[in-house]
Amino acid sequence: MKLTDVINYDLTQFNFSAADKKEALDKLTTMLVEKNIIANKDNFLEALLAREAQSTTGVGESVAIPHAKSVDFDKAMIVYAKSNEGVEWESFDGVAAKHIFMICAPDGGADEHLKALASLSQALMDPTVKAGLDNATTKEEVEKVFANFVAKTDTPKEEKEEKISGEKPYIIAVTACPTGIAHTFMAAEKIKETAKEMGLDVKVETNGQIGIENRLTKEDIERAVGVIVAADKKVEVARFAGKPTIITKVADGINKPKELIQTILDGKAKAYVHDASGEEVESTSGDETIWRKAYKHLMEGVSNMLPFVVAGGILIALSFIWGINAFDPKDPSYNKVAEVLFYFGKISFSMMLPILAGFIGRSIADRPGFIVGMVGGILADPSILGLKSDLLTYTPSGFLGALVAGFLAGGIIIALKYAFSWMPRSLDGIKPIFLFPILGTLIMGVLMIFIINAPMASVMEGLKHFIESLNGSGKFIVGFVVAAMMVIDMGGPINKASYVTGTALLTAAGTAGSDVMAAVMIGGMVPPLAIAISATINKNIWPKSQRSGALVNYVMGLAFITEGAIPFAASNPARVIPPLFLSSGVAGALSMTFGSVSKAPHGGIFAIVAGAVSNPIMYLLSLIIGATLGAVLLILSLNLGKKKK
């Protein structure tokens, strides 16, 4: 099946606009329902968003290829939307997506449809295709662009085989992404194209949904001067033992092929040493410093922890609607619904520590690291499972203990791998499922109970007492800093550091709540609200394509979803982020100065209405002041920018 057979030209959209990729995908899936292509958009939209959560499908150079498989489709289909102003897609190169190709793949095994989808990635690497799409204004012109490409590349297989001269340096590569539909083939094409421009022979193996294609042979590996593994999933790497090898993410194959190839040619790539346990290998790309690796492991834990915190926080906040103690059967305000909401919320929230530690451990040492990390996270606060023992009568170390436990889990498994490296390879299979989990759990338990918990608990207690001892200007400064941090990168590491600090102090404070958590929450609510208010006062400061999205930020801000501000900040960061930074900081500072305390880690307006935030009148006043100040500063900043132009 050819590429031209799977593009549905009748669904092509021009002048497409959306505030962000989530809204874009919602619009496109809604259109499929309206055109009677699918009966309900929910399943497919959820699959698309799940794929985006793995890594962005914005592949750079103003192209995005969102894709997913669903039982809603009997055969594969591609929908094309062209946006003149571009849609923020968190692309690898930071450029908004103007050409959006939504791939709708049937849920099933590899087939001819997927080969056609793979050829889309190859087509988008062709400069003539890109130029044709830039100039196209009708569906007929789009159809002609791809028809010309297919005609140009539709040659017999024997004519398409890579010709290896035997005289030039020979580079080999493997590409793979989690779904194996788009990024896999785009990285392959980019590496091949760049290698040829550099005068090299090249062969690239793709690990896609259609299986392994262009498989590297033993002769290829022996002859190659080096190997590039651009993959976001596990691939067979043992065969490259002893060869100069770069192991990196698939995005680098798309965006940095020349740099990767040059590293091999310069002799800077290290010879690959295979891990006999067969576990996931670490990236060996040159920019992977130890701090970068540690950050990636930490973010793996934090990103998997946050959904539990959000779900638990909102459910707990909702239980407060019937009264702050309505969940307690012994309290006069007791309500059965409140008890159920609080119970489910506590279950979700209590998973925060083991999930944090478990996924940090998994990021470092795969599945054995996960189980050992989970145990360490539980031992950071055994009360989450209702565990009682004379051995466990120690002060819980909470968030900091779980953080240490995650990295400790990875270290324990690495040490065990080294300690048992003498065992014959025939016994490798029992290590990750028998030896490592048992010994790792035992070692983790001893270390957490007798070494880690006490000092980490002291640090948490010290931090809590320090915050409690602040007054006046001290509270004002702390409130400003933690709230302003929520704005700097909106969902990035600085934002998460602030939010995690708030939740850690909230966990340590228990039912007393945390004023830092309240400041953090208000700091995350201000940016979307400030953008919405600014658009209400002066709609012309935002491009036409963003105005409807700006007003949606009323809801986003009140629900404490800071990410609603990302597309607006990304469109002009120098003039948008400073006003939001200042106004969020002021709101957080006022919140702490007024003594507002939050007993829920999330919820926004729900938490306020439910009574989970103390001194709610002054807290709302702080929010209004911060959001209004942000709107005024945004109008001044953006209007000043227009005058300078």
Side-chain angles (χ1 to χ4, degrees):
M1 181 173 288
K2 298 179 181 178
L3 172 61
T4 46
D5 295 330
V6 291
I7 299 177
N8 192 322
Y9 299 105
D10 291 333
L11 299 181
T12 300
Q13 297 195 27
F14 294 95
N15 300 314
F16 183 77
S17 65
D20 54 29
K21 62 181 177 181
K22 186 173 182 180
E23 183 182 332
L25 294 175
D26 187 87
K27 281 187 173 183
L28 290 173
T29 51
T30 298
M31 183 262 293
L32 292 178
V33 175
E34 292 172 348
K35 298 290 186 180
N36 296 317
I37 305 295
I38 57 178
N40 186 293
K41 72 176 183 179
D42 293 343
N43 289 337
F44 186 49
L45 178 59
E46 183 179 340
L48 288 167
L49 294 176
R51 173 61 188 88
E52 293 294 334
Q54 292 177 336
S55 65
T56 180
T57 58
V59 295
E61 297 183 9
S62 72
V63 173
I65 312 181
H67 52 275
K69 301 172 76 174
S70 173
V71 294
D72 295 317
F73 302 99
D74 296 325
K75 60 180 182 179
M77 178 176 65
I78 298 174
V79 177
Y80 172 55
K82 182 177 180 180
S83 171
N84 295 331
E85 296 185 356
V87 178
E88 171 53 40
W89 217 278
E90 300 174 345
S91 299
F92 298 139
D93 57 2
V95 177
K98 293 187 176 181
H99 303 287
I100 303 165
F101 292 88
M102 184 173 72
I103 298 177
C104 314
D107 192 9
D111 52 27
E112 290 299 312
H113 298 118
L114 291 174
K115 292 184 179 181
L117 300 179
S119 67
L120 171 65
S121 304
Q122 299 165 2
L124 294 175
M125 293 290 102
D126 190 309
T128 59
V129 171
K130 188 74 185 310
L133 292 174
D134 285 337
N135 296 324
T137 57
T138 66
K139 67 178 184 180
E140 289 77 15
E141 290 175 344
V142 173
E143 186 173 4
K144 184 177 180 180
V145 167
F146 286 107
N148 289 340
F149 171 79
V150 169
K152 181 175 66 175
T153 57
D154 189 17
T155 54
K157 184 175 180 180
E158 59 270 15
E159 293 181 29
K160 292 197 291 183
E161 290 290 336
E162 298 291 340
K163 295 180 180 179
I164 308 301
S165 67
E167 301 172 356
K168 306 173 184 176
Y170 186 39
I171 297 287
I172 58 175
V174 179
T175 62
C177 67
T179 52
I181 294 177
H183 295 61
T184 299
F185 301 97
M186 294 196 78
E189 286 300 307
K190 203 68 177 178
I191 291 171
K192 286 193 289 186
E193 177 185 302
T194 304
K196 290 175 182 177
E197 289 175 357
M198 296 173 71
L200 309 174
D201 283 339
V202 62
K203 181 175 180 180
V204 183
E205 173 185 299
T206 55
N207 286 238
Q209 282 287 343
I210 53 181
I212 296 176
E213 291 194 305
N214 213 28
R215 183 185 288 274
L216 298 173
T217 65
K218 183 179 179 181
E219 291 72 23
D220 290 325
I221 297 170
E222 289 176 351
R223 191 200 145 193
V225 297
V227 186
I228 297 170
V229 179
D232 288 340
K233 69 175 185 179
K234 198 167 184 177
V235 297
E236 184 187 346
V237 291
R239 52 190 164 152
F240 304 134
K243 299 294 294 188
T245 304
I246 297 174
I247 301 176
T248 188
K249 51 186 180 290
V250 71
D252 287 345
I254 298 173
N255 294 290
K256 301 194 298 184
K258 188 171 184 179
E259 180 181 324
L260 297 176
I261 293 171
Q262 195 61 52
T263 299
I264 289 176
L265 295 179
D266 292 342
K268 295 180 180 179
K270 296 180 180 179
Y272 175 62
V273 179
H274 181 58
D275 183 350
S277 68
E279 303 297 344
E280 201 79 39
V281 295
E282 283 285 355
S283 169
T284 60
S285 57
D287 57 353
E288 284 285 289
T289 65
I290 188 170
W291 299 112
R292 172 65 182 168
K293 290 178 182 178
Y295 164 74
K296 285 170 61 179
H297 300 320
L298 174 61
M299 285 300 104
E300 179 71 12
V302 170
S303 62
N304 282 283
M305 173 196 79
L306 286 181
F308 289 87
V309 177
V310 172
I314 290 180
L315 288 173
I316 290 172
L318 289 175
S319 76
F320 296 151
I321 291 175
W322 289 270
I324 204 68
N325 294 311
F327 62 88
D328 186 355
K330 299 178 182 179
D331 193 88
S333 64
Y334 171 71
N335 181 282
K336 188 68 175 179
V337 175
E339 182 186 13
V340 171
L341 290 172
F342 186 85
Y343 180 72
F344 289 156
K346 285 291 287 184
I347 290 176
S348 179
F349 192 57
S350 67
M351 292 301 294
M352 177 179 82
L353 301 185
I355 289 296
L356 171 70
F359 275 94
I360 291 175
R362 184 181 186 277
S363 179
I364 298 171
D366 208 66
R367 284 165 293 184
F370 180 72
I371 184 175
V372 175
M374 286 283 287
V375 171
I378 292 171
L379 289 173
D381 186 2
S383 65
I384 62 177
L385 294 184
L387 297 175
K388 293 181 180 180
S389 167
D390 292 340
L391 186 65
L392 302 176
T393 55
Y394 53 79
T395 303
S397 56
F399 180 81
L400 284 184
L403 188 66
V404 172
F407 285 97
L408 187 59
I412 289 171
I413 298 303
I414 290 173
L416 288 173
K417 287 180 182 179
Y418 179 78
F420 287 92
S421 60
W422 56 269
M423 292 179 66
R425 294 196 64 177
S426 59
L427 297 178
D428 279 355
I430 70 170
K431 294 180 186 177
I433 62 173
F434 183 75
L435 283 178
F436 295 164
I438 293 174
L439 294 176
T441 298
L442 178 61
I443 295 169
M444 174 63 78
V446 171
L447 292 176
M448 287 297 292
I449 292 174
F450 298 108
I451 298 177
I452 303 299
N453 267 305
M456 289 301 102
S458 297
V459 173
M460 280 301 300
E461 284 295 309
L463 179 59
K464 187 174 70 170
H465 291 318
F466 169 72
I467 296 295
E468 290 172 350
S469 69
L470 293 174
N471 53 54
S473 60
K475 281 188 175 293
F476 189 92
I477 292 171
V478 170
F480 185 96
V481 171
V482 296
M485 285 173 67
M486 293 294 290
V487 181
I488 295 176
D489 55 357
M490 299 185 198
I494 298 175
N495 169 285
K496 283 188 173 68
S498 176
Y499 184 71
V500 164
T501 300
T503 54
L505 289 168
L506 176 62
T507 304
T511 56
S514 167
D515 49 2
V516 173
M517 187 69 248
V520 167
M521 185 155 66
I522 205 171
M525 294 170 71
V526 164
L529 286 174
I531 288 168
I533 294 172
S534 69
T536 302
I537 297 173
N538 183 357
K539 66 179 183 179
N540 293 323
I541 66 169
W542 299 109
K544 187 176 180 180
S545 62
Q546 289 187 319
R547 288 170 197 166
S548 60
L551 298 178
V552 171
N553 270 318
Y554 277 116
V555 177
M556 304 283 273
L558 290 173
F560 182 27
I561 303 175
T562 315
E563 287 80 1
I566 289 177
F568 302 87
S571 65
N572 195 346
R575 296 202 171 275
V576 173
I577 292 179
L580 297 180
F581 175 89
L582 181 62
S583 55
S584 284
V586 168
L590 290 174
S591 168
M592 282 199 70
T593 302
F594 292 146
S596 294
V597 171
S598 178
K599 296 184 178 183
H602 211 284
I605 194 66
F606 300 104
I608 300 170
V609 172
V613 179
S614 66
N615 205 0
I617 301 299
M618 299 310 292
Y619 191 70
L620 283 171
L621 178 62
S622 303
L623 179 63
I624 292 169
I625 291 173
T628 305
L629 174 64
V632 172
L633 292 176
L634 279 172
I635 292 171
L636 293 174
S637 177
L638 292 170
N639 280 334
L640 182 62
K642 289 179 180 179
K643 288 180 181 179
K644 285 188 175 182
K645 289 181 181 179

